[in-house]
Amino acid sequence: MRCLIDGITHSGEGVARTDGKATFVPFAIPGETVELEITEDKRKFRRARLTGIVEASSERIEPWCPYYYECGGCAYQHMTYNKQLELKQRVVSEAMQRIGKLELPVNPVLGMEEPWRYRNKVTWHAARIDGRYRMGFYRSDSHQLIDIKTCKLISEEMEKLSLYIKTNLEELHIPEICEIIIRQSSLNHKLMLMVMGKGTENANIDCLVDYPDLSSIYSTDGERHTLLYGEPYLQEAVDGIKYDISPLSFFQVNPIQTQKLFDLVQRYAAVNSSHRVLDAYCGIGSISLLLARKAQEVLGVEDFAPAVQDAINNTRNNHITNCSFLAGPCETIIPRLHDHFDLLVLDPPRAGCNSDLIRAITGSAPEKIVYISCNPATLARDLALSTEGYVTKEIQPVDMFAHTHHVETVVVLYRR
């Protein structure tokens, strides 16, 4: 079947129309004429496999990664980086129109000068298959393990450690199915290793303890983690604020773009010494502490207790006295707060905010809201819920995840 690709989905798939149905085609670029084979036919949509390219886009290139068409990690390596940024801007804009019913301009995406080797965290899947251990990523939309030797998104130091672990899997005595997570500090380049799964506390780490720059090794079983070797924290720094990060706490995976993101948040926030700030989904206090340097007071709310403890420690370590934190779900805590805040910072997970939280936020009437989102769809939905009380002034996407379909977006809203 021959079709013209005229759209793009939020997950980076090309969109064609076949017999009036939207048809999703991985690895196709808007503007291309392609040959495809229908693989799934639903009542409202179809899925298809790209079988040939009749008229290729001038933006089509050869992927750098040899596993690109098998691995489910990236979605945009088959096109130039400028085209990636253009399509991500389009995805955000279309989400605003289609889901939020908002006719709002979206700024061009803030990209990277060098969009490779940027990730400071990688999660490998390990499993014993046909009698021997394999380590890699899952094939797209499956749990089929692809035995991978290189990933062009992680640093060379992380890749070298990954290959070393890969060659020593038998010696580690790990469970037959587990995850291996490596994190790296952009501050001092030290590495943290986590082996995740039931029984990983019995892993044999003798071959790892002398590995250069590997500063800590953890075993993790659910939310319980055990330090097997080394230092308890990974250290990061942004704008002179230093952060200690425990193994399961979140920190942005792209340190170069994190600086741009946090600069943007601080510019939109524009706090002064009279402002009281509420930071919802505050994590380890990464944004709270930056804003506390100029604000009168900052209160952070976070559901993940270890991250709250990290935030408290980071406040103490940076000698900041006007910042405090509450542990618990934002959906529960924030509606019960009776204090007035001049600024609200929202950085929720991909699911966004529930309607009760949105109502509580708009009901408390902060002068300004800075919303940071990793999901354009839930961002558009949440902005639509807040239109009665607030007007959206600026929508700025930031490319935190080059070559993948993900895009971070920062929005500033003012009370009407």
Side-chain angles (χ1 to χ4, degrees):
M1 182 182 294
R2 181 171 295 187
C3 292
L4 172 68
I5 304 297
D6 61 6
I8 193 78
T9 70
H10 69 279
S11 59
E13 297 174 318
V15 182
R17 290 279 167 183
T18 59
D19 301 326
K21 288 185 183 179
T23 303
F24 306 131
V25 190
F27 311 122
I29 302 173
E32 291 187 324
T33 301
V34 302
E35 296 282 352
L36 54 84
E37 176 186 332
I38 303 297
T39 58
E40 187 177 3
D41 195 348
K42 298 288 188 180
R43 187 169 63 88
K44 293 186 176 181
F45 69 90
R46 289 170 168 168
R47 302 192 66 82
R49 181 172 63 86
L50 185 66
T51 57
I53 300 172
V54 180
E55 293 182 19
S57 166
S58 61
E59 305 290 342
R60 180 172 286 276
I61 60 173
E62 276 297 311
W64 187 21
C65 175
Y67 305 99
Y68 172 63
Y69 289 114
E70 297 179 86
C71 173
C74 292
Y76 281 140
Q77 280 198 37
H78 60 288
M79 64 184 78
T80 64
Y81 186 55
N82 284 339
K83 188 65 175 180
Q84 295 182 34
L85 299 181
E86 176 193 320
L87 291 181
K88 290 185 180 187
Q89 180 188 20
R90 179 173 170 176
V91 165
V92 175
S93 183
E94 289 179 353
M96 295 300 150
Q97 296 170 21
R98 188 182 72 258
I99 299 170
K101 310 301 180 188
L102 302 169
E103 294 294 333
L104 298 169
V106 175
N107 292 342
V109 182
L110 293 179
M112 302 183 68
E113 291 182 10
E114 179 51 57
W116 300 101
R117 302 288 189 191
Y118 61 84
R119 285 191 64 98
N120 60 22
K121 180 181 178 181
V122 62
T123 300
W124 298 103
H125 301 284
R128 186 181 288 277
I129 301 172
D130 297 331
R132 72 179 185 90
Y133 275 108
R134 300 175 190 269
M135 188 173 109
F137 296 143
Y138 286 145
R139 192 181 300 275
S140 181
D141 297 323
S142 78
H143 283 85
Q144 182 181 355
L145 192 64
I146 304 171
D147 201 337
I148 283 178
K149 297 181 176 63
T150 181
C151 175
K152 306 303 184 183
L153 302 191
I154 66 176
S155 71
E156 292 182 350
E157 295 88 354
M158 292 170 68
E159 186 171 284
K160 287 176 183 177
L161 175 57
S162 300
L163 290 173
Y164 181 79
I165 293 169
K166 188 180 175 73
T167 59
N168 288 278
L169 284 172
E170 293 290 348
E171 292 183 38
L172 292 178
H173 298 164
I174 56 176
E176 294 203 344
I177 298 177
C178 67
E179 290 184 342
I180 294 170
I181 298 176
I182 300 172
R183 302 179 73 166
Q184 184 176 31
S185 163
S186 62
L187 179 65
N188 55 27
H189 303 291
K190 290 188 177 180
L191 298 156
M192 173 185 282
L193 171 66
M194 288 172 278
V195 188
M196 302 188 70
K198 192 172 182 61
T200 53
E201 68 275 8
N202 299 317
N204 175 22
I205 61 171
D206 291 348
C207 64
L208 294 171
V209 294
D210 293 326
Y211 190 90
D213 292 323
L214 181 56
S215 62
S216 54
I217 303 173
Y218 273 93
S219 157
T220 304
D221 184 356
E223 292 189 358
R224 182 173 59 107
H225 55 276
T226 305
L227 180 63
L228 303 179
Y229 163 80
E231 303 168 8
Y233 298 105
L234 200 66
Q235 293 186 321
E236 282 289 357
V238 179
D239 271 2
I241 300 290
K242 291 186 177 181
Y243 305 99
D244 284 348
I245 307 169
S246 57
L248 298 180
S249 290
F250 171 80
F251 196 78
Q252 294 286 353
V253 301
N254 186 333
I256 295 172
Q257 296 298 89
T258 297
Q259 181 67 64
K260 294 180 185 178
L261 180 73
F262 287 0
D263 286 347
L264 193 63
V265 170
Q266 291 179 89
R267 178 164 65 84
Y268 284 169
V271 296
N272 62 45
S273 59
S274 68
H275 286 156
R276 301 182 72 247
V277 180
L278 176 61
D279 185 6
Y281 307 97
C282 66
I284 65 167
S286 52
I287 292 174
S288 302
L289 300 186
L290 289 170
L291 298 181
R293 295 183 297 188
K294 293 184 177 179
Q296 177 187 345
E297 180 186 358
V298 178
L299 173 64
V301 182
E302 169 61 43
D303 190 19
F304 187 52
V308 175
Q309 189 57 57
D310 288 351
I312 293 169
N313 293 341
N314 291 330
T315 303
R316 186 183 306 116
N317 294 342
N318 286 281
H319 309 291
I320 292 174
T321 58
N322 62 337
C323 198
S324 57
F325 299 92
L326 295 175
C330 290
E331 296 79 5
T332 302
I333 291 177
I334 291 177
R336 297 176 181 173
L337 295 175
H338 299 295
D339 297 339
H340 173 73
F341 294 93
D342 304 285
L343 168 70
L344 170 69
V345 177
L346 271 173
D347 190 2
R350 288 190 60 78
C353 306
N354 69 26
S355 56
D356 290 340
L357 179 58
I358 293 289
R359 281 192 289 269
I361 288 167
T362 55
S364 66
E367 294 294 327
K368 187 190 298 181
I369 299 172
V370 177
Y371 192 140
I372 306 155
S373 171
C374 58
N375 185 342
T378 54
L379 171 64
R381 179 202 66 197
D382 292 348
L383 292 181
L385 290 174
S386 64
T387 52
E388 288 186 11
Y390 287 82
V391 58
T392 301
K393 288 291 188 182
E394 193 163 357
I395 302 174
Q396 179 60 69
V398 182
D399 193 27
M400 303 292 292
F401 317 98
H403 307 293
T404 78
H405 69 270
H406 299 290
V407 58
E408 200 92 353
T409 308
V410 187
V411 179
V412 59
L413 302 95
Y414 291 89
R415 193 174 70 188
R416 290 186 184 276

